[in-house]
Amino acid sequence: MSAERHSPRAKPEASILDGANGQGRGPLTRLDPRAKLLAALGFSLVTSLCASPWAATAALSLGLGLTLAARLGLGPVLRRTATVNVFVLFLWAFLPWRLEIAPDVLEASLVFNPPGLSLAWLITLKVNAIFFALTGLLATSRVNDLLHAMAHLRLPGKLVTLFLLFFRYLFVLHREYQRLTLAMRVRCFTPGNNLHTYRSYANVVGMLLVRSFDRAERVFQAMLCRGFNGTFWVLDHFAWRRQDTIFCAGAAMALAGLIVLQWGI
Amino acid sequence: MHISEGVLSAPVLASGAVLAATGVAMGLARLDYQKLPRVAVLSAAFFVASLIHVPVGPVSVHLVLNGVVGLLLGWAAFPSILVALALQAILMQFGGLIVLGVNTFSMAMPAVICHYLFRSMVASQNRVVAFAGGALAGALAVALAGLFVALALFGGGEDFATVAAAVGLAHVPIFIAEGVLTGLAVLFIKRVRPAMLDRDQA
């Protein structure tokens, strides 16, 4: 393993906080985030309960359709698809095998288990179906809009406030983290299997926590200065339009279709 | 380690959701508006810190840090971990909305358990005891999280037994890294800002 792999680069993190949300150019971008959030919940629920490969295939095509309609750009979508499917690969590696333990000699052996293969295939369809649907529905809204939508959908106020502040300071602390790791690189820090590496990383974690603790005090004092009395006002209000009603009706029909395919009512 | 959407069975998903909702409610009830910014900003710090990859033997693992979350936040670990996981679902579509309950519970419950078990050790003036408390909290929190994830998978039926065992094994390197690192981080915090680990903070 080369030192390069372990070096505290900024690259993988940059893809996590790249702020790609809300940058699609398709019709989904203009929908009310509340409608998209509800559709995403409904779709995830129905699809994760699906057990027939036909229903899962239909769900996957719906999901792919949503991602295509979002027009998010091929690069980021492919990268995320790869990340999500790492877990799926892991399942393919282990599901088709059964652990058999002989009781008298206490020896474990792996036995080929054909039903595991069809299970792995079903899960692959479902995981990707939900991933593509969420990409189309959620990645086309800005995170702040989705959080405001959650407030309008009556999630507990404290939870939404926590979420908003968390998201706000994520980027601040990420910059802080990049400054710390830059300082380490300037001092020629190369990670390895030694106590020095562990102590250095522990100090980075500790420093991040200490700075966030101090910053939280300042944030709270600033909030008090602005008259914070326990109500965190939500500033964005959405206008429900006809296209949102049409979208919700379409989503409900698609979900009903999936339910019929799966349970045959 | 968290589980993707579309893998678990309905009973597991439902019980995960109920357990996580209870934990989040407990956390929010104990969280007044004065502590809210602190929990929010600390959660952001944990999220960023979990981007660090630490070498363990031939592989490198990323930090989970639910042990420190528990030590510093107590029951507020539930809402803290919930928002972090929900953000991953929104931002990267990684993990999902329905499986959020199982994933939150399997990471936050060990954090709360470690809070009660090791908080007093970490608050100790003795550096060796404090290090041991941190190390045990870090290691146990990850080990329990691995156990919960394995149990959730196992609840999906016998076909998942091998997967569950593999997930359990995959947690061993993380468990070592996390233990050492949490212990050292606790020592750092005690040196720099001891008030953060006082008993009355969480």
Side-chain angles (χ1 to χ4, degrees):
Chain A
M1 182 122 322
S2 65
E4 181 65 44
R5 244 326 269 286
H6 288 145
S7 74
R9 284 171 304 172
K11 211 173 162 214
E13 295 90 283
S15 67
I16 289 174
L17 299 175
D18 59 1
N21 274 46
Q23 287 178 359
R25 287 163 294 141
L28 286 170
T29 317
R30 291 186 293 275
L31 285 176
D32 194 311
R34 286 172 294 180
K36 288 193 279 189
L37 208 55
L38 287 177
L41 259 178
F43 185 89
S44 305
L45 183 63
V46 172
T47 308
S48 42
L49 298 182
C50 272
S52 99
W54 292 113
T57 312
L60 179 60
S61 34
L62 277 174
L64 276 172
L66 285 169
T67 293
L68 286 178
R71 294 175 61 196
L72 283 165
L74 198 60
V77 173
L78 280 182
R79 243 197 335 269
R80 291 173 188 186
T81 315
T83 322
V84 167
N85 280 290
V86 170
F87 186 70
V88 171
L89 272 181
F90 179 80
L91 289 180
W92 275 98
F94 289 100
L95 268 182
W97 302 95
R98 202 171 58 229
L99 206 59
E100 248 172 37
I101 301 167
D104 41 344
V105 283
L106 275 180
E107 204 178 63
S109 57
L110 286 176
V111 185
F112 183 62
N113 178 30
L117 274 179
S118 48
L119 187 63
W121 177 235
L122 176 72
I123 288 175
T124 309
L125 290 173
K126 283 162 62 170
V127 166
N128 284 289
I130 296 173
F131 163 71
F132 283 119
L134 290 195
T135 302
L137 292 170
L138 298 187
T140 48
S141 279
R142 294 186 308 131
V143 173
N144 271 324
D145 286 343
L146 286 169
L147 296 182
H148 278 89
M150 286 178 196
H152 286 294
L153 292 172
R154 304 285 157 82
L155 249 76
K158 267 188 204 169
L159 193 61
V160 177
T161 309
L162 180 71
F163 211 149
L164 282 163
L165 287 173
F166 161 71
F167 186 61
R168 164 69 181 79
Y169 287 97
L170 194 54
F171 296 91
V172 176
L173 285 165
H174 190 243
R175 269 202 303 279
E176 198 88 62
Y177 168 69
Q178 283 175 326
R179 270 223 308 280
L180 288 170
T181 46
L182 183 67
M184 288 166 87
R185 268 184 294 167
V186 165
R187 288 163 179 77
C188 299
F189 171 73
T190 21
N193 281 296
N194 47 51
L195 193 61
H196 174 67
T197 302
Y198 280 74
R199 188 170 290 137
S200 308
Y201 279 135
N203 290 355
V204 170
V205 172
M207 202 64 220
L208 271 175
L209 295 177
V210 167
R211 289 197 181 158
S212 69
F213 192 77
D214 293 348
R215 188 176 287 274
E217 294 309 306
R218 294 204 299 278
V219 169
F220 184 62
Q221 278 156 14
M223 282 162 76
L224 287 180
C225 280
R226 286 158 182 78
F228 179 70
N229 64 351
T231 317
F232 196 86
W233 296 99
V234 170
L235 296 178
D236 287 354
H237 299 277
F238 309 109
W240 189 272
R241 285 175 298 178
R242 218 175 68 204
Q243 63 199 52
D244 301 312
T245 315
I246 295 171
F247 170 76
C248 278
M253 264 154 60
L255 287 184
L258 280 185
I259 291 172
V260 169
L261 256 181
Q262 167 63 39
W263 290 282
I265 306 160
Chain B
M1 172 65 102
H2 44 258
I3 306 172
S4 305
E5 194 91 289
V7 178
L8 298 174
S9 62
V12 175
L13 288 171
S15 30
V18 170
L19 288 170
T22 315
V24 170
M26 295 272 284
L28 288 179
R30 283 153 193 249
L31 197 63
D32 53 26
Y33 275 96
Q34 191 170 355
K35 281 181 188 152
L36 210 117
R38 185 186 297 161
V39 175
V41 184
L42 275 175
S43 311
F46 287 125
F47 193 97
V48 169
S50 72
L51 300 172
I52 298 176
H53 279 71
V54 180
V56 183
V59 293
S60 81
V61 297
H62 85 85
L63 296 174
V64 186
L65 293 174
N66 57 339
V68 204
V69 175
L71 286 177
L72 290 176
L73 298 182
W75 278 98
F78 267 94
S80 164
I81 287 170
L82 175 72
V83 293
L85 291 175
L87 187 75
Q88 291 195 27
I90 292 178
L91 216 54
M92 300 181 287
Q93 297 81 47
F94 199 73
L97 300 173
I98 304 296
V99 77
L100 214 52
V102 174
N103 284 333
T104 303
F105 179 81
S106 60
M107 279 171 70
M109 196 62 229
V112 175
I113 292 173
C114 287
H115 177 86
Y116 283 110
L117 287 180
F118 303 115
R119 179 79 196 189
S120 51
M121 274 178 88
V122 166
S124 153
Q125 291 303 313
N126 187 331
R127 288 172 59 80
V128 179
V129 175
F131 173 80
L136 287 171
L140 186 70
V142 174
L144 283 177
L147 181 73
F148 284 145
V149 169
L151 280 178
L153 283 168
F154 193 66
E158 222 161 279
D159 289 327
F160 279 102
T162 334
V163 180
V167 165
L169 275 181
H171 275 79
V172 172
I174 312 178
F175 164 90
I176 298 165
E178 198 85 15
V180 176
L181 220 121
T182 308
L184 291 171
V186 162
L187 286 187
F188 179 87
I189 294 173
K190 283 191 88 68
R191 211 160 49 230
V192 177
R193 197 64 39 89
M196 275 175 83
L197 291 167
D198 280 352
R199 285 222 68 141
D200 55 328
Q201 282 291 349

